[in-house]
Amino acid sequence: MKIKAYNKLLEELKQKIVENNLKYTEQREIILKTLYDSKKHLLPDELLGYVRKNNPKMNIGIATIYKTLNLLESFNMVNTITTEQKHTLYEINNKSHHDHMICTKCDKIYEFENERIENLQIEVANKYNFKLTKHIMQLFGICEKCQTHEG
Amino acid sequence: MKIKAYNKLLEELKQKIVENNLKYTEQREIILKTLYDSKKHLLPDELLGYVRKNNPKMNIGIATIYKTLNLLESFNMVNTITTEQKHTLYEINNKSHHDHMICTKCDKIYEFENERIENLQIEVANKYNFKLTKHIMQLFGICEKCQTHEG
DNA sequence: TTTTATGCAAAGACTTTGCAGGAGA
DNA sequence: TCTCCTGCAAAGTCTTTGCATAAAA
């Protein structure tokens, strides 16, 4: 199940690489895999940490992380979230579309889907003859856990 | 009309300054006024440009711009937009709540309001017992004008 | 008088770029 | 073989910070 989903992503990466006359490298696969395995949204620097931890024999640099993230983003294979502190977090784009609720106390990120909101966004875009390519929607606030831990 | 709205903002600023045991300065007023007068969302650097242009006798530094923007943001008197290129734009917060459609071709920003989306966001937050403090919603795509200028 | 704000320059954080050597097709 | 990729270090961009001076209360 899981492995199948990852293999599909890997095939997609390979295909995009060929399409664009680029080259398949181990680094690119490692970065894709690490993002895929991550349970949470990652900073480039955190991603590098995991990449190095799981591939101690290789010497991977932060520049490769950034270049690969930009590549994956151009392939529409990663999504980004910008926190209130202007940090950019990355996640693999292999799930159905979702948006994010971000707790400003514990920084935890919750995902949610809401088809009605999606439809209304399309409706708004249509009204303005705006050709929608993507959107970001992030709700900021205090999560349930942090509210109870307060007083 | 217009002047009244600005005076209201200025009073709000003065009040927040007193509440927080801070000091009222000409720079702070100038920055508020310049944001208020701006027809578009501004980068800190652009804001400085307008501030200097309209106040040639004063020597205002970029650090003051950043400090004041952060102050105004903490007072909830400005909103920010983050572009695809990760640039942060500022606008004065004196209108009813609205969201943004951003053309990725010409960078023009269109504002819209949609009460139904707002309500659904509240509904989602409630469902998760999430105490909502603010949200970001931005639609990216190609505006009508840029579509016709294409071919 | 006391505290905060300003403007400058320096420092900091994050990201991109140039380049020489290495790897992929 | 030829082209692209990597890792490093340097450079670049945006933002914050330390400090001496200036201004507000």
Side-chain angles (χ1 to χ4, degrees):
Chain A
M1 268 332 196
K2 275 249 154 191
I3 292 164
K4 225 173 195 171
Y6 172 65
N7 282 343
K8 197 178 154 198
L9 275 176
L10 185 57
E11 286 315 309
E12 186 181 347
L13 175 61
K14 287 180 178 172
Q15 185 197 325
K16 294 266 173 66
I17 283 174
V18 170
E19 274 173 18
N20 292 276
N21 290 108
L22 302 175
K23 284 168 181 170
Y24 174 81
T25 67
E26 202 179 344
Q27 284 89 339
R28 285 173 178 174
E29 169 162 2
I30 287 172
I31 290 167
L32 184 76
K33 181 80 166 66
T34 307
L35 277 169
Y36 176 80
D37 287 337
S38 174
K39 300 294 178 260
K40 60 187 190 101
H41 307 75
L42 297 176
L43 291 168
D45 201 51
E46 290 178 316
L47 175 56
L48 178 62
Y50 290 117
V51 161
R52 286 186 170 159
K53 191 171 161 194
N54 294 321
N55 304 273
K57 288 170 213 157
M58 290 192 75
N59 188 9
I60 296 181
I62 189 71
T64 302
I65 300 285
Y66 278 106
K67 285 168 189 166
T68 305
L69 286 172
N70 288 340
L71 187 77
L72 292 173
E73 195 171 12
S74 77
F75 291 165
N76 195 31
M77 295 184 69
V78 292
N79 296 322
T80 62
I81 302 171
T82 305
T83 68
E84 272 198 316
Q85 304 84 195
K86 310 275 149 66
H87 295 154
T88 304
L89 303 172
Y90 292 82
E91 66 172 339
I92 200 84
N93 181 11
N94 72 324
K95 291 174 274 198
S96 61
H97 178 76
H98 58 269
D99 292 293
H100 300 97
M101 268 184 314
I102 304 175
C103 179
T104 50
K105 200 165 177 189
C106 69
D107 291 326
K108 195 160 155 50
I109 297 172
Y110 300 83
E111 299 179 350
F112 68 90
E113 287 180 53
N114 191 301
E115 203 188 339
R116 282 187 290 162
I117 294 179
E118 305 284 315
N119 289 337
L120 286 171
Q121 288 173 339
I122 293 166
E123 196 177 286
V124 168
N126 286 342
K127 185 175 153 192
Y128 290 87
N129 290 321
F130 191 84
K131 196 196 278 177
L132 200 57
T133 53
K134 74 165 196 176
H135 75 256
I136 58 180
M137 181 167 68
Q138 297 176 190
L139 309 185
F140 293 94
I142 314 289
C143 72
E144 187 173 21
K145 208 173 273 182
C146 286
Q147 287 172 54
T148 51
H149 290 181
E150 262 177 332
Chain B
M1 268 338 198
K2 275 248 154 193
I3 290 164
K4 226 173 195 171
Y6 172 65
N7 283 342
K8 197 179 154 198
L9 277 175
L10 185 58
E11 285 315 308
E12 186 180 348
L13 176 61
K14 287 181 179 173
Q15 184 196 325
K16 294 265 173 66
I17 283 174
V18 170
E19 273 173 18
N20 291 276
N21 291 108
L22 301 176
K23 285 169 182 171
Y24 175 81
T25 67
E26 202 179 345
Q27 285 88 339
R28 287 174 175 173
E29 168 162 4
I30 287 172
I31 290 167
L32 185 76
K33 182 78 165 68
T34 307
L35 278 169
Y36 176 81
D37 287 337
S38 174
K39 298 295 178 260
K40 61 189 189 101
H41 307 74
L42 297 176
L43 292 167
D45 200 51
E46 290 178 314
L47 174 57
L48 178 63
Y50 290 118
V51 161
R52 286 185 171 160
K53 193 171 158 193
N54 294 320
N55 304 273
K57 287 170 214 157
M58 291 192 74
N59 189 9
I60 295 181
I62 189 69
T64 302
I65 299 287
Y66 277 105
K67 286 168 189 166
T68 304
L69 285 172
N70 289 340
L71 187 77
L72 292 173
E73 196 171 11
S74 77
F75 290 166
N76 195 31
M77 294 185 70
V78 293
N79 296 322
T80 61
I81 303 171
T82 305
T83 68
E84 273 199 315
Q85 304 85 194
K86 311 274 149 64
H87 295 153
T88 305
L89 303 172
Y90 293 82
E91 67 172 339
I92 199 87
N93 182 11
N94 71 323
K95 290 175 275 197
S96 61
H97 178 76
H98 59 270
D99 292 294
H100 300 96
M101 270 186 309
I102 305 175
C103 179
T104 50
K105 201 164 177 187
C106 69
D107 292 326
K108 194 161 157 51
I109 297 171
Y110 300 83
E111 299 179 349
F112 69 90
E113 287 180 52
N114 191 303
E115 203 188 339
R116 281 188 289 161
I117 294 179
E118 306 284 315
N119 289 336
L120 286 171
Q121 288 173 338
I122 293 166
E123 198 177 285
V124 168
N126 287 342
K127 186 176 153 191
Y128 290 86
N129 290 322
F130 190 84
K131 196 196 278 178
L132 200 57
T133 52
K134 74 165 195 173
H135 75 256
I136 297 177
M137 182 167 68
Q138 297 176 191
L139 309 183
F140 293 95
I142 314 289
C143 71
E144 186 172 21
K145 211 175 267 182
C146 286
Q147 286 172 54
T148 51
H149 291 181
E150 261 177 329

